[in-house]
Amino acid sequence: MVKLRREWGTAGAQLAKWRREPVVLQSVRSAAAATIAYVVALRISPESAPLTAPLTALLVVQVTLYATLTTGVRRVNAVVAGVVVAIAFSVLVGLTWWSLALLILASLAVGHLVRVSEFVPEVAISAMLVLGVTRVGDTAWARVLETVIGAVVGLGCNLLFSPPVWVGAAGESIEDLARRVRQLMLRMGEEAAGRTPVAHATARLHEARRLDHDIIEVDAALKQAEDSLRLNPRVREGLLHRVVLRTGLDTLEICTVVLRVLARSLTDLAKAREPEPLFEPQTGAAVERLLGEVGDAVVSFAVLVTTDVSISAQSAESRLADQLTTAAATRDKLAALLLEEVQRDARQWQLHGAVLTEVNRILDELDTEHRSRRLLEELDRCTREQRERRPRVTRLRRRLRVPRPLRRNRNRPTASRRST
């Protein structure tokens, strides 16, 4: 009996986890929207199998409400444009091999003119499907009707069932990137503390270069999260969320670039000193300790960026400040040791200075005061761009004396995001 209860408890926990999983929610919403669109189209459309409606609903229901709205409008626009082109060709020339070529060219040109973005091929597809049937008029308007039904159902499903906020997934991607950076720093520090063959140093350099691909993946996840915050009724102060995550990723990207330069410097130092160790034993131990402390600070920074405005965020900021202070003290000790080495042997003083400079740059990027200034600048830039893009809304807000929601957050810019 106890075993059965445990199994039921495990199954219930797994089901609850799946219910919160964004991918599962998106799949259920898309399937439901397509089914509802097909049922509605069966009652309204003259076609016996109105598959255009569920197809449109499936494509319109995107992972974010903002993408759904923009996609729905563009898709309906593309289908209507294709139907109009098909009607014109059916009246003038009909369907032949050369008229089909002209139809495709004209449809693609019209698609670019009406600015349907990625749905330019949909204009040509709609035109060909409509032109290829006998009853052009009835089929054309039936296709338009089915497209409108699918788009309306897709938009309605997103309005009634708000799409998931992908901030959590983006935050996990940022933290994973920070942990990969830390692991690479730890390996570089371990090798710097002893004799480092050139092949090992080169391998670390290749690992640092591969972090660029990780940045691209995290950037894609962050763009999806930014779209999920736009026009989402469950989210307050979406601009603050977007700015915090975006500036956090920018900082990590700078750190990965500097880390790649550091790996390059250590590789050049390994080539210059082979078969000798990179540093003296005491200096190598200081380099290992410093890189470990900087790696810990990178992870704490990522946690701070992705943590809610709460006691957890305050503790994360305090932990980051302590780690940066400790790393700065270790850096000062390393600077003294490197100076002694250079005074004894000045052959690689440029590379020694480069190692210290690159570590300094990472510490400066992670500094909380530096991040606060950057956040304020980015928030001011974004609000200024919003006022320039929507001057009428800005003037109306001033007349009604509606305060901007971002003003009350200016005193706590290092926090990451609110609970949604």
Side-chain angles (χ1 to χ4, degrees), residues 26-41 50-64 67-69 71-72 75-76 79 119 122 143 145-158:
Q26 172 63 20
S27 301
V28 173
R29 290 170 57 251
S30 298
T35 304
I36 295 173
Y38 182 73
V39 173
V40 174
L51 295 177
T52 303
L55 175 62
T56 303
L58 188 63
L59 295 176
V60 166
V61 177
Q62 301 295 314
V63 294
T64 65
T68 298
L69 292 173
T71 300
R75 185 170 181 81
V76 172
V79 173
F119 291 119
E122 178 70 17
R143 181 170 171 80
L145 178 61
E146 293 170 16
T147 302
V148 172
I149 292 173
V152 170
V153 171
L155 294 175
C157 286
N158 258 12

Side-chain angles (χ1 to χ4, degrees), residues 8-43:
W8 277 103
T10 304
Q14 187 67 27
L15 180 60
K17 181 180 178 181
W18 286 347
R19 289 177 60 187
R20 294 190 300 267
E21 184 66 29
V23 176
V24 175
L25 292 175
Q26 172 63 20
S27 301
V28 173
R29 290 170 57 251
S30 298
T35 304
I36 295 173
Y38 182 73
V39 173
V40 174
L42 280 176
R43 297 178 177 275

Side-chain angles (χ1 to χ4, degrees), residues 38-248:
Y38 182 73
V39 173
V40 174
L42 280 176
R43 297 178 177 275
I44 300 177
S45 176
E47 297 291 324
S48 59
L51 295 177
T52 303
L55 175 62
T56 303
L58 188 63
L59 295 176
V60 166
V61 177
Q62 301 295 314
V63 294
T64 65
L65 179 60
Y66 176 79
T68 298
L69 292 173
T70 55
T71 300
V73 172
R74 288 199 300 267
R75 185 170 181 81
V76 172
N77 194 15
V79 173
V80 172
V83 169
V84 171
V85 172
I87 293 175
F89 268 75
S90 65
V91 172
L92 296 176
V93 294
L95 179 60
T96 61
W97 66 267
W98 57 268
S99 66
L100 179 62
L102 292 178
L103 175 71
I104 295 174
L105 291 176
S107 300
L108 295 178
V110 170
H112 287 289
L113 289 177
V114 297
R115 298 181 180 180
V116 293
S117 189
E118 72 272 19
F119 291 119
V120 169
E122 178 70 17
V123 180
I125 293 172
S126 299
M128 285 188 293
L129 291 177
V130 172
L131 188 62
V133 298
T134 306
R135 299 171 59 193
V136 174
D138 294 340
T139 304
W141 294 115
R143 181 170 171 80
V144 172
L145 178 61
E146 293 170 16
T147 302
V148 172
I149 292 173
V152 170
V153 171
L155 294 175
C157 286
N158 258 12
L159 292 175
L160 294 177
F161 308 101
S162 298
V165 179
W166 296 82
V167 173
E172 292 176 0
S173 299
I174 292 176
E175 292 184 19
D176 289 342
L177 172 63
R179 292 188 178 94
R180 286 193 290 271
V181 171
R182 176 180 177 273
Q183 291 298 323
L184 179 56
M185 285 187 173
L186 291 177
R187 287 193 292 270
M188 292 170 60
E190 291 174 358
E191 294 177 355
R195 180 180 177 276
T196 305
V198 177
H200 289 182
T202 304
R204 302 292 84 77
L205 177 59
H206 291 325
E207 288 183 29
R209 288 171 176 169
R210 285 196 293 270
L211 287 175
D212 291 341
H213 300 287
D214 298 334
I215 289 288
I216 295 174
E217 295 178 358
V218 177
D219 182 70
L222 183 53
K223 287 180 179 178
Q224 181 174 271
E226 290 172 341
D227 283 345
S228 71
L229 294 171
R230 292 188 176 122
L231 305 178
N232 196 315
R234 296 191 296 163
V235 177
R236 296 178 58 192
E237 301 178 359
L239 176 60
L240 179 61
H241 297 358
R242 298 198 303 269
V243 171
V244 167
L245 290 176
R246 176 56 63 182
T247 54

Side-chain angles (χ1 to χ4, degrees), residues 393-410:
V393 176
T394 303
R395 288 194 297 268
L396 179 61
R397 183 175 291 168
R398 288 176 180 174
R399 291 178 182 177
L400 299 177
R401 296 182 180 180
V402 177
R404 285 189 301 245
L406 290 174
R407 289 298 180 185
R408 60 175 180 271
N409 294 290
R410 294 175 66 90

Side-chain angles (χ1 to χ4, degrees), residues 268-280 341 345 347-348 351-352:
D268 293 340
L269 190 60
K271 293 178 181 178
R273 295 183 63 87
E274 194 177 27
E276 300 177 1
L278 295 182
F279 305 97
E280 297 294 332
E341 281 200 23
D345 184 1
R347 287 178 298 175
Q348 284 87 35
L351 295 175
H352 288 166

